[in-house]
Amino acid sequence: MNNEQPIIVGLDIGTTKIAAIAGRKNEFGKLEILGFGRANSNGVQHGMVLNIDQTIKAIQTALENCYASNPNLPISEVYVGIAGHHIKSLQTRGDIVRQNTDEEIKQSEIDQLINDQYKTYIPAGDQIIDVIPQEFTVDNFQNIPDPIGYSGVKVGANFHIITGDKNAIRNINRSVEKAGLITKDLVLQPLASAAAVMCDHDLEAGVAIVDIGGGTTDLAVFYEGILKHTAVIPFGGENITNDIKTGLGVLKTQAEQMKVQFGSALADEAKSNAFITIPGLRGMAPKEISVKNLAAIIQARMSEIMDFVSYHLKQVGLDNRLLNGGVILTGGGSQLKHLIQLTEYVTGLNARIGYPNEHLAAGHIEELAKPMYSTCLGLILKGYNDYENKRKQFELQYTKVNIPAHLQQPSVDEVEADITNHKNIVVKPRKTLKGFMDSFKNGLIEMFKEEGDSEL
């Protein structure tokens, strides 16, 4: 365990679940999970906090579960994800003329350039959440990824600015504060998810990260190592569940269960002769629902979401084969059957599921590598990015906290030791083909013997 690093906590306030994960980087730069808790979310719709009281209770439940998994955890500051259809983005340009042209460009000058962008005019009622530099220029030299160390008179950059509704941001901050925590930073959810599922090769090749959550689908597009575009599409897994509920006349819990167990994103792949039987309400006759009809409803909504993704890619001129890395699907909704095929058909790009195990240390439990935890794990990585680049103040003294046993998979040695302890296990020798044929022949002889005996 590396005690020279801070413990960073990610808090994902989603439409269907609230997750709190505490992690610390080990000596190999991989995330070790020190605490994990989740709770059902009630006060959030389409990624926005509407009922503050219910959201506070859900955050506290997730925290209690996190403490239950590891009572030694110190949790006070959290990195929080933000989404919702109020999120907008714009491109700006900023330049500064340097005071000391004889010296090389320093980090303080880049910080000044970024801070100046927070004065950009945005509509009343909105607030800047994040300013992300894309590519820098120094005098006549363009497309510089990192200008520190260069020498020149004028330094500038193109920026991607993310804005959100002031009230929506205030509701998140109030919920977190009333739950007894401090918001260290707000991070746009698709950027957090991208950090968790992407590697350097993806960044270089160019990818579109599509995070299908409960209330929203978040999009982040990277090309030539630069964040080109972000968007929040106001549809997600909840919309599919509501469509099934309305279209098939079932309860919401039944609709969710059918979607998870029998759902498919392609109606052509569903069996036409397969049916799901649902118990009737209060003595009414049970209902039979066609698996093909279920898939048709899911396909209609999923196609709509993917059409939005294609539209956003067209907007930034990356709709054709320019994204060599294709589409990376993540989030809870990405686990639908045949979604990869539908995505490839609608967008014309290669697709795969993005699991957040890219930066996780070995030996973690399988639950944490599910796509639904991409955002939460990405928030921890965003925190480490701040720590490593000295963007935020962190404590100088770090506490020693061990990984709880139930958050680790048993090692191979432990499994072998467990088997050797059970002396009474009888291991039957595996039958060879000859042994199988002999037993088959003996069986036939016995059968004919019995027939012959019965005739006599």
Side-chain angles (χ1 to χ4, degrees):
M1 173 57 64
N2 188 4
N3 295 316
E4 300 302 311
Q5 303 271 28
I7 295 168
I8 291 174
V9 183
L11 183 66
D12 177 16
I13 303 173
T15 307
T16 50
K17 64 150 196 343
I18 289 178
I21 302 177
R24 172 183 268 165
K25 276 194 178 180
N26 63 15
E27 59 269 33
F28 309 109
K30 296 286 185 184
L31 269 190
E32 291 181 329
I33 303 305
L34 304 173
F36 164 57
R38 59 167 287 176
N40 291 332
S41 179
N42 297 319
V44 183
Q45 280 182 23
H46 297 296
M48 293 167 68
V49 173
L50 297 184
N51 188 321
I52 293 177
D53 283 349
Q54 285 186 339
T55 307
I56 292 164
K57 282 175 190 165
I59 292 171
Q60 285 171 337
T61 307
L63 273 180
E64 281 163 17
N65 292 337
C66 195
Y67 280 126
S69 74
N70 193 343
N72 302 322
L73 267 181
I75 301 177
S76 57
E77 297 178 323
V78 288
Y79 275 80
V80 184
I82 186 168
H85 51 77
H86 62 93
I87 300 287
K88 296 191 269 300
S89 62
L90 63 141
Q91 305 293 120
T92 63
R93 171 83 202 169
D95 295 276
I96 53 167
V97 176
R98 300 181 63 225
Q99 304 290 327
N100 303 323
T101 51
D102 297 338
E103 294 179 13
E104 293 81 35
I105 294 167
K106 295 187 179 69
Q107 182 64 50
S108 58
E109 291 171 295
I110 304 303
D111 292 342
Q112 184 197 331
L113 192 59
I114 293 168
N115 290 335
D116 287 349
Q117 298 312 302
Y118 280 92
K119 297 166 191 161
T120 304
Y121 168 76
I122 54 167
D126 281 358
Q127 183 180 326
I128 292 176
I129 296 168
D130 210 349
V131 172
I132 299 153
Q134 293 177 313
E135 62 267 285
F136 291 89
T137 56
V138 176
D139 295 344
N140 295 326
F141 298 102
Q142 296 184 339
N143 298 333
I144 298 166
D146 186 3
I148 293 169
Y150 278 70
S151 180
V153 176
K154 187 179 173 186
V155 60
N158 294 328
F159 292 93
H160 185 83
I161 295 181
I162 295 158
T163 68
D165 181 69
K166 273 184 182 170
N167 289 331
I169 294 167
R170 193 186 300 125
N171 284 355
I172 288 179
N173 285 330
R174 276 172 67 189
S175 303
V176 173
E177 280 167 24
K178 287 189 173 181
L181 299 166
I182 299 161
T183 305
K184 187 90 171 170
D185 200 10
L186 279 179
V187 179
L188 188 66
Q189 285 187 10
L191 296 182
S193 302
V197 300
M198 264 192 345
C199 64
D200 293 340
H201 298 305
D202 295 322
L203 200 59
E204 190 186 329
V207 289
I209 309 284
V210 179
D211 182 352
I212 306 165
T216 59
T217 297
D218 308 327
L219 174 68
V221 185
F222 295 86
Y223 182 63
E224 291 182 339
I226 295 161
L227 174 68
K228 282 285 182 189
H229 186 64
T230 53
V232 177
I233 299 159
F235 302 117
E238 285 270 287
N239 298 87
I240 298 168
T241 305
N242 288 330
D243 289 354
I244 296 166
K245 176 192 160 197
T246 311
L248 300 176
V250 294
L251 299 173
K252 194 173 179 182
T253 48
Q254 293 170 337
E256 180 65 28
Q257 220 172 338
M258 282 197 292
K259 179 184 80 175
V260 173
Q261 284 185 295
F262 306 103
S264 166
L266 280 181
D268 290 347
E269 293 291 329
K271 291 178 183 172
S272 52
N273 60 348
F275 291 85
I276 307 158
T277 305
I278 284 181
L281 294 173
R282 296 203 168 253
M284 287 167 75
K287 231 181 198 181
E288 285 218 327
I289 285 158
S290 161
V291 171
K292 205 167 189 69
N293 287 351
L294 175 69
I297 292 169
I298 294 170
Q299 184 178 339
R301 181 61 80 176
M302 267 299 171
S303 296
E304 189 183 5
I305 291 170
M306 290 307 157
D307 282 338
F308 270 103
V309 171
S310 295
Y311 165 74
H312 281 287
L313 292 175
K314 271 197 184 89
Q315 270 196 321
V316 287
L318 294 170
D319 54 323
N320 51 20
R321 292 280 161 191
L322 288 171
L323 292 177
N324 295 329
V327 177
I328 299 178
L329 299 161
T330 192
S334 68
Q335 293 173 297
L336 266 173
K337 283 190 202 84
H338 306 117
L339 182 58
I340 291 173
Q341 292 92 316
L342 179 73
T343 305
E344 290 180 342
Y345 174 71
V346 176
T347 62
L349 295 163
N350 292 329
R352 66 178 173 88
I353 305 294
Y355 295 96
N357 51 11
E358 191 68 45
H359 305 281
L360 276 180
H364 57 81
I365 55 167
E366 282 176 27
E367 176 75 10
L368 289 163
K370 286 183 179 174
M372 67 174 76
Y373 298 114
S374 295
T375 300
C376 206
L377 291 165
L379 289 169
I380 303 174
L381 292 168
K382 281 284 175 192
Y384 265 102
N385 198 4
D386 282 352
Y387 169 70
E388 283 154 9
N389 292 306
K390 298 185 170 61
R391 285 200 201 97
K392 296 238 184 302
Q393 290 293 314
F394 289 85
E395 285 180 33
L396 296 173
Q397 296 296 315
Y398 304 125
T399 50
K400 184 183 178 184
V401 177
N402 293 320
I403 305 169
H406 61 275
L407 291 181
Q408 297 179 73
Q409 283 184 338
S411 66
V412 179
D413 299 342
E414 285 171 21
V415 174
E416 283 175 1
D418 198 37
I419 291 168
T420 51
N421 289 339
H422 292 82
K423 303 288 184 194
N424 301 329
I425 294 175
V426 179
V427 181
K428 292 181 180 176
R430 199 170 160 191
K431 281 189 177 177
T432 58
L433 184 62
K434 184 179 179 300
F436 174 74
M437 291 307 291
D438 288 346
S439 63
F440 180 65
K441 193 166 69 180
N442 293 339
L444 280 174
I445 293 164
E446 289 298 320
M447 193 169 73
F448 283 118
K449 260 189 193 173
E450 282 171 17
E451 280 183 15
D453 292 345
S454 61
E455 283 172 14
L456 288 170

